[in-house]
Amino acid sequence: MRELTVNGPLVSVVIPVYNRADTIQKAVRSVLDQTYKNIELIVVDDGSTDDTLKVLGQIQDRNMKVLKQDHKGANAARNLGVCHSKGEYVAFNDSADIWDACKIGRQLACMQEEAGRDLVFCSEIIHNLNESYVFPSEEQKALIKQGKICEVLARGNCVDTPTIFCKRSCFTVVGEFDAALPRCQEYEWILRFVQKCTMHFLDECLVESYIRADSITSDISKLLAAMPEIYSRHRNFFAQYGTEADFLIAPVYELYGRGCSFAYYEKYFELLSNRIDGQDRPVAEEAYMRTMRLLFSENVNKKYRIKNLRDGCDIDSILKKGIPFNIFGAGGVAKAFYEYLQRNDLANLVGNVIVTSVEGNDTLKDGVPLVELETCDDSVKKRPLILAVNNFNILEVIEKIEAAGFEKIIVLPGNGQK
């Protein structure tokens, strides 16, 4: 696919900014220095109180104009920018993010490559407070390339605002960003978009995104408030793909990953209880029960993780070193874990599938023996044993396994979802 650099249709780029005097110049220059030249850049200052406007005033470029508004938030600023835009196409950058010089040219070429495309989004590198990673994830990309963009979006967002390149006319069809939502406004807009317009994915990292401590993305409280509202608006979409509970439990993994106190979980389910009722009550209850199981499992896991780390026998070490092990359990959790192993070419490390009783159980894979706990010999007991069972059964199972003389017990974290 070619990259467009000559003059073609006008592309409007909108950058909202609030108190980013230290980053706005680089973000602006990455847009103005695009290899595709027929652009207009609209920077919307959202009531900055630092030197942002002073910095912008030092940038002299006829393709850029600056609008001002009272402090209403980034999405209100984006809406104002789109309202004043004149281009056939619209794209967005954020005030701390950097574009690849060929971003517009590549996305415009991709848009024009096939008739009927309304939006093209690309990959990006996200620099978080503690790590850097590519978004969307490899797993999301694989599904998107199979034409399953709706299935991906039903489980969570895969489109960041600075990666969007779309026809300006789409805003007439889809509507503007909802500035009243506390967070995930671009996700809610994309959910509306995908149900009315067409999307295409360009698997090239054309954006570097920087998440700062004061970014709205870092505010977990706003995420918790936004999710029940998004669910209520798009419940039929989530129901269509059978992901209602998956969507509602998504913030739980972020809470857990950040080490948040239980008060955050209580607040989230209080918000769910107040917002979701009637026919959706069972979905909220399922999300609650799955959360409790996750937390229960992780509390049990902490006890064994300390011992396992001391013995050099934690799950990550086993997989990285290629140490053979056995799996306890043959249900849904064990199957999910075994599928993970297969995807990563690690299934050959599994020696046996151990269960309390073979009656009513099937092995996870032909050729992997299904063995009853009481019949295991010493050679089996010396191998690490990874527990992949329903979390509420863990304590009872552990007692039986310890009594049977197994030496190395590892509780699978995250309910089997490695």
Side-chain angles (χ1 to χ4, degrees):
M1 182 184 66
R2 69 195 189 286
E3 171 199 342
L4 296 183
T5 58
V6 298
N7 282 347
L10 179 65
V11 177
S12 300
V13 181
V14 178
I15 300 180
V17 59
Y18 175 70
N19 289 350
R20 287 288 186 268
D22 58 335
T23 64
I24 187 60
Q25 187 171 34
K26 288 184 177 180
V28 165
R29 289 263 44 116
S30 76
V31 174
L32 295 176
D33 294 341
Q34 289 289 295
T35 55
Y36 184 84
K37 297 303 182 184
N38 192 19
I39 64 173
E40 65 165 357
L41 172 58
I42 304 171
V43 181
V44 183
D45 181 73
D46 186 37
S48 293
T49 58
D50 66 353
D51 289 334
T52 293
L53 285 172
K54 181 179 178 180
V55 173
L56 289 170
Q58 296 169 352
I59 303 172
Q60 300 299 316
D61 195 295
R62 62 183 180 84
N63 293 324
M64 183 182 82
K65 63 181 176 181
V66 178
L67 305 178
K68 303 175 187 178
Q69 67 174 24
D70 294 335
H71 186 44
K72 299 177 183 177
N75 285 282
R78 291 187 182 105
N79 291 336
L80 180 63
V82 172
C83 183
H84 283 78
S85 66
K86 299 176 182 177
E88 182 180 344
Y89 298 98
V90 175
F92 302 93
N93 196 15
D94 282 345
S95 56
D97 297 349
I98 308 299
W99 280 5
D100 187 284
C102 66
K103 179 181 183 293
I104 290 179
R106 295 290 291 162
Q107 287 188 290
L108 179 56
C110 185
M111 178 76 79
Q112 296 180 342
E113 191 175 47
E114 185 174 311
R117 290 177 178 173
D118 297 317
L119 181 150
V120 171
F121 70 101
C122 62
S123 299
E124 65 179 330
I125 299 174
I126 296 179
H127 302 286
N128 210 331
L129 302 179
N130 302 311
E131 61 178 342
S132 297
Y133 57 92
V134 174
F135 183 76
S137 69
E138 291 302 318
E139 193 169 359
Q140 288 175 319
K141 287 181 186 180
L143 291 171
I144 292 168
K145 291 174 182 178
Q146 294 172 28
K148 298 180 179 180
I149 181 68
C150 289
E151 286 85 344
V152 174
L153 288 169
R155 287 171 171 80
N157 195 18
C158 62
V159 185
D160 198 12
T161 315
T163 71
I164 291 174
F165 182 95
C166 69
K167 296 176 180 177
R168 185 162 62 93
S169 59
C170 291
F171 285 89
T172 302
V173 177
V174 178
E176 61 184 17
F177 295 101
D178 184 351
L181 268 179
R183 191 175 149 185
C184 302
Q185 298 95 334
E186 78 285 352
Y187 178 42
E188 194 278 329
W189 185 82
I190 285 292
L191 287 174
R192 279 184 274 141
F193 189 99
V194 77
Q195 296 176 72
K196 295 181 179 181
C197 304
T198 62
M199 299 175 61
H200 184 80
F201 175 53
L202 175 62
D203 190 7
E204 297 180 15
C205 282
L206 302 176
V207 178
E208 286 199 66
S209 178
Y210 294 85
I211 298 177
R212 296 161 45 130
D214 59 349
S215 298
I216 188 172
T217 308
S218 301
D219 192 333
I220 191 69
S221 297
K222 292 181 178 180
L223 172 67
L224 301 185
M227 294 296 271
E229 177 63 28
I230 293 173
Y231 175 81
S232 295
R233 295 183 190 184
H234 299 283
R235 63 169 304 279
N236 291 335
F237 179 80
F238 298 121
Q240 180 179 353
Y241 297 97
T243 59
E244 301 104 305
D246 291 332
F247 174 79
L248 291 179
I249 201 174
V252 168
Y253 291 101
E254 185 161 345
L255 288 173
Y256 184 81
R258 295 187 182 206
C260 293
S261 68
F262 194 74
Y264 280 88
Y265 297 89
E266 290 181 313
K267 179 63 177 178
Y268 179 51
F269 285 102
E270 179 184 338
L271 291 168
L272 282 185
S273 180
N274 292 337
R275 191 69 181 84
I276 298 178
D277 208 341
Q279 62 179 329
D280 292 325
R281 176 63 66 181
V283 177
E285 290 176 351
E286 181 184 345
Y288 176 80
M289 292 301 293
R290 285 173 58 180
T291 298
M292 293 303 103
R293 296 210 314 253
L294 170 69
L295 296 178
F296 178 82
S297 171
E298 289 302 321
N299 284 333
V300 173
N301 192 23
K302 284 179 182 177
K303 169 186 173 183
Y304 286 89
R305 186 179 298 143
I306 294 172
K307 179 179 183 299
N308 292 333
L309 287 173
R310 186 175 63 238
D311 295 343
C313 193
D314 62 292
I315 188 169
D316 289 329
S317 295
I318 286 174
L319 298 182
K320 288 178 182 178
K321 294 178 182 178
I323 299 173
F325 59 87
N326 299 311
I327 295 177
F328 187 95
V333 176
K335 289 175 182 176
F337 178 53
Y338 194 80
E339 289 171 1
Y340 164 81
L341 295 173
Q342 288 180 311
R343 289 195 303 270
N344 291 276
D345 297 322
L346 296 169
N348 62 310
L349 297 178
V350 181
N352 301 285
V353 175
I354 299 172
V355 291
T356 52
S357 173
V358 296
E359 186 176 349
N361 282 308
D362 296 316
T363 186
L364 302 178
K365 179 74 174 178
D366 290 342
V368 180
L370 190 68
V371 181
E372 286 193 0
L373 179 65
E374 293 183 355
T375 66
C376 293
D377 58 28
D378 289 341
S379 64
V380 173
K381 293 176 183 179
K382 288 180 180 178
R383 278 190 176 188
L385 180 64
I386 297 180
L387 273 65
V389 297
N390 183 296
N391 298 329
F392 284 145
N393 295 336
I394 283 180
L395 290 180
E396 178 184 347
V397 169
I398 285 176
E399 288 179 0
K400 292 181 179 179
I401 291 173
E402 288 179 332
F406 280 79
E407 298 178 4
K408 300 174 182 177
I409 302 172
I410 302 169
V411 179
L412 185 67
N415 198 23
Q417 304 301 316
K418 278 290 293 177

